């Protein structure tokens, strides 16, 4: 290797692809690690539809103003 490592990586496609795949996979691995090392986020329970407050009915007389 007389031309240097940087020129070898930048001129040939295979080492650049390998390095980019390593960077991508390490980023995905770090994201997976961070996402699974946090405690579970509590989620508020949703009310069932029957227990939800009903929307007020609109008066039909209000829609028929002269």
């Amino acid at each position: 290797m007389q031309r240097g490592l940087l020129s070898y990586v930048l001129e040939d496609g295979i080492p650049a692809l390998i390095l980019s795949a390593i960077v991508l996979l390490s980023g995905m691995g770090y994201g997976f690690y961070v996402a699974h090392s946090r405690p579970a986020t509590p989620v508020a329970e949703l009310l069932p539809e029957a227990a939800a407050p009903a929307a007020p009915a609109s008066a039909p007389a209000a829609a028929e103003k002269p």
Side-chain angles (χ1 to χ4, degrees):
M1 264 194 154
Q2 296 176 357
R3 57 184 174 154
L5 181 63
L6 183 61
S7 63
Y8 174 72
V9 169
L10 294 178
E11 290 176 5
D12 294 339
I14 300 297
L17 287 175
I18 292 172
L19 287 175
S20 61
I22 290 172
V23 168
L24 177 67
L25 291 175
S26 63
M28 289 173 60
Y30 178 72
F32 184 82
Y33 166 75
V34 168
H36 288 31
S37 64
R38 293 181 184 159
T41 305
V43 178
E45 292 184 25
L46 298 176
L47 295 174
E49 289 185 25
S58 62
E64 299 176 7
K65 287 187 179 180

